[in-house]
Amino acid sequence: MRKIWVVGGAAFGLFAAFLALLVLGVYTAAWKLGTPGSGAVGLAEGSVPAQYLPLVQKWGNLCPALNPAVLAAQLYTESNWDPKAVSPADARGIAQFIPETWAVYGFDADGDGKADIWDPGDAIPSAARYDCALSGDVKGVGGDLTDNMLAAYNAGPYRVINSGGVPSINETQGYVKEIRTLAKSFARPIGRVAPPSQQAAAAIYFAQEKLGTPYLWGGEGGKEDNGRFDCSGLTKAAYESVGIQLPRVANDQWNAGPHPNRDQLLPGDLVFFAHDLKDPRSIHHVGLYVGGGYMINAPYTGAVIRFDKIDLPDYIGATRVTADGAKALPRTNGA
């Protein structure tokens, strides 16, 4: 059973005032922090399901244009790590290969005697192989090689070569930006993660105004919900109030930005809880961090929105929401 910290009466008002000062102080300090450092790209802890982590880490370094975070972003965008995914265009498996493309680039990476489009042990290395083949096709083109590789993945190498870089096609330019942005949510931070935007403070204000509101499973705060929320409904509404559109489900909000370490949390970060700390797909709960080890939390049926501690056994990590990160997220179920 979770240990829940409940605030009541006059103590509640004092605690809210304390948090207001804490948020202001932390934000003032945050703007003085430096920008993230640079270096070899590793994967953030918990960002890739554990069973795929060795494959993504190994094959993400297959060629200079590719890195593990970019490969992870592609796989997440294509299938959300589902090895049985099938698209309306008959793209198959975790890497969403069309059978004709698989016939050229798919190979038996795990040595079991079969190049299997449905087997992540073959499909993930084959996706890296395909990326690197495309990077070779556009190697002589001006501009960023990784951007050109991703553009070739979306529009074909001929268009990249003919355009002298990422072509002026909205879909292609959007795809390149989405993958490069999502890659930041998979990359292990080097140094400190960039501070939150000022919008995060306004999101906290929105959520703080909902303290004491009864929880409603599936609630998004509308008239039909009598202004009530569940956990991800609250975080979605808080950021929607400042113009940032998050997906509806906690699991899908995880990749809305980079992942700060526990000792780097700042007010406005989303904090997540999972059944399996090695698999972000098992995320079942989200809260809005306010500082001092506390979050604004819509916990469960029968409770109200309140302040709770974040240091629980199922804490998997946090996300520092960015506008670009939220826009880059794949949308499911119309969210």
Side-chain angles (χ1 to χ4, degrees):
M1 180 181 292
R2 291 185 178 186
K3 292 183 179 179
I4 302 298
W5 189 86
V6 183
V7 183
F12 173 85
L14 290 173
F15 188 73
F18 163 73
L19 279 175
L21 292 173
L22 179 63
V23 169
L24 177 62
V26 173
Y27 269 96
T28 301
W31 296 119
K32 298 178 182 178
L33 295 177
T35 56
S38 60
V41 178
L43 293 168
E45 185 175 355
S47 63
V48 172
Q51 66 265 45
Y52 305 131
L53 181 62
L55 287 167
V56 175
Q57 189 69 66
K58 175 182 176 180
W59 292 96
N61 289 299
L62 184 61
C63 64
L66 190 63
N67 65 57
V70 168
L71 181 58
Q74 285 185 294
L75 295 167
Y76 168 71
T77 298
E78 295 294 337
S79 69
N80 196 17
W81 306 108
D82 181 2
K84 298 180 180 179
V86 181
S87 80
D90 197 31
R92 304 176 184 181
I94 196 169
Q96 288 291 277
F97 271 101
I98 298 293
E100 292 79 5
T101 307
W102 178 261
V104 178
Y105 295 100
F107 73 108
D108 177 22
D110 59 12
D112 65 358
K114 180 182 179 182
D116 186 354
I117 197 171
W118 302 106
D119 182 356
D122 292 336
I124 291 174
S126 296
R129 185 184 192 184
Y130 182 39
D131 276 337
C132 290
L134 291 171
S135 75
D137 291 338
V138 299
K139 189 174 182 180
V141 178
D144 184 89
L145 181 57
T146 301
D147 286 352
N148 290 339
M149 176 191 74
L150 293 171
Y153 183 95
N154 179 264
Y158 172 78
R159 286 180 174 173
V160 176
I161 294 168
N162 193 48
S163 300
V166 179
S168 299
I169 302 171
N170 288 339
E171 178 187 331
T172 302
Q173 292 184 342
Y175 179 79
V176 173
K177 183 176 181 180
E178 287 171 8
I179 297 300
R180 296 304 293 267
T181 300
L182 280 172
K184 296 176 184 177
S185 77
F186 288 99
R188 182 178 63 244
I190 304 298
R192 285 189 173 274
V193 175
S197 69
Q198 290 178 316
Q199 291 167 303
I204 292 173
Y205 178 80
F206 176 94
Q208 189 168 313
E209 290 291 295
K210 309 304 176 185
L211 289 167
T213 303
Y215 174 95
L216 176 66
W217 187 87
E220 299 184 51
K223 290 182 179 179
E224 66 279 10
D225 299 326
N226 292 322
R228 295 175 292 170
F229 300 86
D230 64 9
C231 65
S232 57
L234 178 62
T235 52
K236 180 179 186 296
Y239 270 97
E240 189 172 42
S241 74
V242 295
I244 295 177
Q245 299 290 330
L246 291 173
R248 176 63 182 86
V249 181
N251 179 298
D252 293 332
Q253 294 177 4
W254 169 251
N255 289 106
H259 304 297
N261 295 329
R262 171 64 182 84
D263 62 355
Q264 295 180 5
L265 291 182
L266 291 172
D269 291 342
L270 299 183
V271 286
F272 293 88
F273 305 85
H275 297 297
D276 181 350
L277 301 187
K278 295 183 178 181
D279 188 352
R281 295 173 302 172
S282 72
I283 286 171
H284 63 84
H285 193 69
V286 60
L288 186 66
Y289 189 65
V290 294
Y294 287 89
M295 62 180 165
I296 296 177
N297 186 28
Y300 49 75
T301 300
V304 299
I305 296 173
R306 64 197 187 190
F307 296 111
D308 279 328
K309 291 183 177 181
I310 71 166
D311 290 320
L312 300 167
D314 55 348
Y315 174 78
I316 189 174
T319 296
R320 185 153 299 159
V321 175
T322 68
D324 285 343
K327 287 178 183 178
L329 291 174
R331 302 287 159 164
T332 58
N333 300 323

